[in-house]
Amino acid sequence: MNVIDQSVAKAMARSVSTITEETTASEIAGLFAERGIGSAVVVDPDTDAPIGIVTESDIMRQVALSADITSVHAGSFMSAPVITTSSDESIHKAASLMKEHSIRRLLVVDDDDIVGMLTTTDLTHYLPRLRNTILRDRDDLVGQ
Amino acid sequence: MNVIDQSVAKAMARSVSTITEETTASEIAGLFAERGIGSAVVVDPDTDAPIGIVTESDIMRQVALSADITSVHAGSFMSAPVITTSSDESIHKAASLMKEHSIRRLLVVDDDDIVGMLTTTDLTHYLPRLRNTILRDRDDLVGQ
């Protein structure tokens, strides 16, 4: 298997922050600052099913619209549905999916359970490792 | 040359939005929404030299701190100095630099002139193309 065909599981983050449709924009901004994160998944509180996602850009848009961020709720400005992938999908296909949808994050779902999040930052951190493996791979081939 | 050693110039965006230290957080939020961007470079209005950068996360932090975003200025909360690279730097070194500094953007500067911006999104969009070239490269090697 070529290294670039490795799975999403190798590069994704396993911790995902969740909120509900009722969470306000200012609460979300506080959560992002406190945890140093840039997105939260909106889940149905009864089933834990992902129903949307809120990113820094979504909060920014509310600020730009001069919305009252202490009262505007995630449900009214989240992006939905969430674009998802599975942990055994290949990294290059995940990258293509992000490009296709012009998004920076993919929620990773296996058998209806949220198992992680893959971001453009995760893929960038993966690049130098990818290069080393490619060069080793190439040396092996040339040595054959 | 291995494809992953290709230059930053191949993947970077050539348009960079600039602001000054006087620009307010709400003006910046408006600019981000209007242009669909996530960062702006703070420049010295006399010399055009980059002195800092403001990202969505920086604005979010001001919102989380309940700052008055109509009066707080870029100069008071920008990240400085800006981490830069040059357009002839290799993509994998740029990716390593982002990881090292925990940042998602690198300003591209050649001979003191801002020539572009490289983001984790640009690198992600580059991945599928990278894969195709790697596979072709590998076929060539195996065919030798």
Side-chain angles (χ1 to χ4, degrees), chain B residues 85-105:
Chain B
T85 188
S86 61
S87 65
D88 61 358
E89 185 54 279
S90 72
I91 281 177
H92 78 271
K93 283 206 181 146
S96 298
L97 195 62
M98 285 188 195
K99 185 173 183 179
E100 183 189 328
H101 292 276
S102 300
I103 53 176
R104 291 208 313 254
R105 298 169 178 83

Side-chain angles (χ1 to χ4, degrees), chain A residues 9-10 15 18 22 28 45 47 54 64 109 115 122 140 142 144:
Chain A
K10 298 261 180 189
S15 74
T18 59
E22 272 52 64
I28 300 169
T47 64
V54 172
V109 175
V115 295
D122 298 326
D140 287 350
V142 170
Q144 274 174 5

Side-chain angles (χ1 to χ4, degrees), chain A:
Chain A
M1 186 180 65
N2 193 288
V3 62
I4 201 161
D5 291 326
Q6 279 186 354
S7 70
V8 163
K10 298 261 180 189
M12 73 182 189
R14 282 165 205 280
S15 74
V16 177
S17 293
T18 59
I19 55 176
T20 69
E21 288 184 278
E22 272 52 64
T23 316
T24 65
S26 57
E27 286 168 344
I28 300 169
L31 186 76
F32 286 0
E34 185 192 313
R35 301 193 184 168
I37 56 175
S39 68
V41 178
V42 184
V43 295
D44 180 312
D46 296 324
T47 64
D48 274 346
I51 54 179
I53 188 166
V54 172
T55 70
E56 287 177 334
S57 302
D58 297 322
I59 304 282
M60 290 296 305
R61 205 165 300 121
Q62 295 304 307
V63 171
L65 290 169
S66 303
D68 177 359
I69 58 158
T70 61
S71 69
V72 65
H73 290 74
S76 70
F77 64 85
M78 66 185 185
S79 300
V82 200
I83 310 298
T84 63
T85 187
S86 61
S87 65
D88 61 357
E89 185 55 277
S90 72
I91 281 177
H92 78 270
K93 281 205 181 145
S96 298
L97 196 60
M98 285 188 196
K99 184 172 183 180
E100 183 190 328
H101 291 277
S102 300
I103 52 176
R104 293 208 310 256
R105 297 167 180 86
L106 282 177
L107 186 65
V108 188
V109 175
D110 289 342
D111 299 327
D112 293 335
D113 288 328
I114 296 172
V115 295
M117 177 89 83
L118 183 76
T119 68
T120 53
T121 303
D122 298 326
L123 292 178
T124 297
H125 291 180
Y126 192 72
L127 260 178
R129 212 167 73 192
L130 183 61
R131 173 176 181 269
N132 291 338
T133 321
I134 288 165
L135 294 184
R136 215 164 39 232
D137 195 37
R138 187 194 176 99
D139 284 347
D140 287 350
L141 283 174
V142 170
Q144 274 174 5

Side-chain angles (χ1 to χ4, degrees), chain B residues 12 33 53 59 71 84 87-88 98 104 107 120 126:
Chain B
M12 73 183 190
I53 188 166
I59 304 281
S71 69
T84 63
S87 65
D88 61 358
M98 285 188 195
R104 291 208 313 254
L107 186 65
T120 54
Y126 191 71

